[in-house]
Amino acid sequence: MARTENKETAGPATRLVADMARKMRVRKGWTQDQLGKEIGFTGAAVSAMETCAQPASDAMLVQLEKVLGDGLGLFEQARLYVRLDKYPEQFKNYALLEQKAVSLSLYATLVVHGLFQTEAYARALIGGGYPPLPERRVEELVEARMARRELFEREPVALVELVLEESVLRRTIGGPEVMRGQLLHLAECARRRNVTVQVLPLDCGLSGEHAGDRGDINLVETPEHDHLVYLEPQDESLLIKDPAKVSTYGQRYARIRAQALDRRESLGLIERLAGEPR
C-alpha cells in the first residue's frame, strides 16, 4: 500500500520518473485512469507513482516504456536507478558494481547469497528480519533483490563463483517448501555454464584448518579489471580498494574454495538435500 511519508523520502530517480510520466501523460491528454488502463495498472497506482507515494515497480516501468517511451528508452534506463532508490543506503554503491562486474567470487556463511535467492526465500528472510519492516518495504526490497538476478542473463556474460557453508543449505528459512524451492533453484543456478557453486562441508575444520571462519566475502572484478572487496557486517558496509588488502582476501577466498567440495559433489549434495523431507 502506498504511504504518504514516502513522498518525503523518495529518491531522485523515483522523483524523475514520476515527473517524466506525468508530463508525458498530460501531453497525450490522458487521465491517470486512462494511463493505468493502457499499462495494466489502476489509476490509483498511477497516482501513487506520480506523487512518489509508491515508487514505480519494474513491471510498471516496462509498460511505461512501451506506452510513453516514444522509443527513447528513458523508462528502460530508469529501471536500474529506481531500483537503486529502493536498496538500503549501505548497499547502493555495491549494487552498481555488482551489476557491471566482469566476475564475482562470493562466500556466504549464514544464508543463501542474495543473487541466488528465490522470491519466497527472500521474502521470508527480509520479512523476518530485525528491526521489523512494513509490508510495503518488504515487497520493495524483495522486488529489488529479484531484479539483481538479471546479472545471470546479461551480455557480456558475468562469471560468478559461490561458496556456501553447508549449514546454509540445512538452515530452513520460511518453511520446508520454501527451502526446497530454494535448493532446487540453487541447483538450477549451479548448472549454468557461467556459474560455479561449491559447498564448504560441515566437517571442513576436522583437520584443524577453516579458512572461512571470518565471515562472508564478496570479491568483484570491474570492467576495468580492478579488484575490490565488499563486506557487509551487521548492516554496515565496507568497500575495500587497497591492493594489498584485496590480495589477502583473494588468497583467503582461494583457500576457502580449495577446502570446499568440487562442483559435482556440491551439486549432488544440494540435490539430495532438496529431495529430503525437511
Side-chain angles (χ1 to χ4, degrees), residues 118-137:
T118 65
E119 184 173 338
Y121 184 97
R123 183 173 289 105
L125 197 61
I126 295 169
Y130 186 86
L133 297 172
E135 189 60 30
R136 169 200 57 79
R137 182 59 177 151

Side-chain angles (χ1 to χ4, degrees), residues 49-62:
M49 177 272 295
E50 290 187 355
T51 59
C52 298
Q54 182 70 44
S57 67
D58 232 41
M60 180 181 281
L61 287 167
V62 169

Side-chain angles (χ1 to χ4, degrees), residues 107 165 200-202 204-205 207-214 256 259:
Y107 172 52
E165 290 271 0
L200 190 67
L202 291 172
C204 77
S207 63
E209 182 180 357
H210 185 343
D213 63 347
R214 300 190 187 185
I256 293 169
Q259 292 175 353

Side-chain angles (χ1 to χ4, degrees), residues 47-268:
S47 174
M49 177 272 295
E50 290 187 355
T51 59
C52 298
Q54 182 70 44
S57 67
D58 232 41
M60 180 181 281
L61 287 167
V62 169
Q63 294 305 313
L64 286 172
E65 179 61 35
K66 291 178 180 178
V67 173
L68 297 179
D70 290 337
L72 297 176
L74 295 176
F75 291 104
E76 176 63 28
Q77 184 67 24
R79 290 172 64 194
L80 171 61
Y81 299 102
V82 171
R83 192 183 310 158
L84 285 175
D85 278 352
K86 298 174 183 178
Y87 287 133
E89 195 61 39
Q90 77 275 7
F91 187 73
K92 291 181 179 180
N93 288 338
Y94 174 72
L96 282 172
L97 291 171
E98 181 183 78
Q99 288 302 301
K100 296 178 181 179
V102 172
S103 68
L104 294 168
S105 299
L106 314 167
Y107 172 52
T109 61
L110 295 176
V111 297
V112 174
H113 191 279
L115 265 180
F116 291 81
Q117 291 177 10
T118 65
E119 184 173 338
Y121 184 97
R123 183 173 289 105
L125 197 61
I126 295 169
Y130 186 86
L133 297 172
E135 189 60 30
R136 169 200 57 79
R137 182 59 177 151
V138 171
E139 291 305 313
E140 280 185 3
L141 290 172
V142 169
E143 181 189 359
R145 185 166 296 180
M146 292 303 98
R148 290 167 62 191
R149 300 196 306 193
E150 291 178 359
L151 175 72
F152 292 118
E153 307 295 342
R154 191 198 70 195
E155 293 184 10
V157 67
L159 299 179
V160 184
E161 296 181 345
L162 172 67
V163 180
L164 278 170
E165 290 271 0
E166 183 179 341
S167 58
V168 172
L169 306 178
R170 297 183 180 276
R171 179 175 296 113
T172 301
I173 301 291
E177 287 307 308
V178 170
M179 197 62 204
R180 183 171 185 273
Q182 176 61 70
L183 290 171
L184 290 173
H185 175 69
L186 193 59
E188 182 182 343
C189 291
R191 297 187 191 99
R192 288 177 175 267
R193 295 181 63 187
N194 62 317
V195 175
T196 300
V197 176
Q198 292 178 257
V199 178
L200 190 67
L202 291 172
D203 63 1
C204 77
L206 283 177
S207 63
E209 182 180 357
H210 185 343
D213 63 347
R214 300 190 187 185
D216 294 8
I217 300 174
N218 299 277
L219 295 166
V220 184
E221 181 183 2
T222 72
E224 296 73 35
H225 304 293
D226 293 323
H227 293 265
L228 310 169
V229 176
Y230 176 74
L231 307 175
E232 197 174 79
Q234 293 291 331
D235 294 332
E236 300 296 330
S237 64
L238 182 62
L239 188 62
I240 300 171
K241 301 179 181 180
D242 179 79
K245 292 181 179 180
V246 171
S247 176
T248 297
Y249 279 101
Q251 293 170 34
R252 183 178 297 156
Y253 182 84
R255 193 64 181 171
I256 293 169
R257 187 174 53 197
Q259 292 175 353
L261 303 177
D262 66 26
R263 291 184 66 174
R264 188 188 310 177
E265 292 173 321
S266 297
L267 178 57

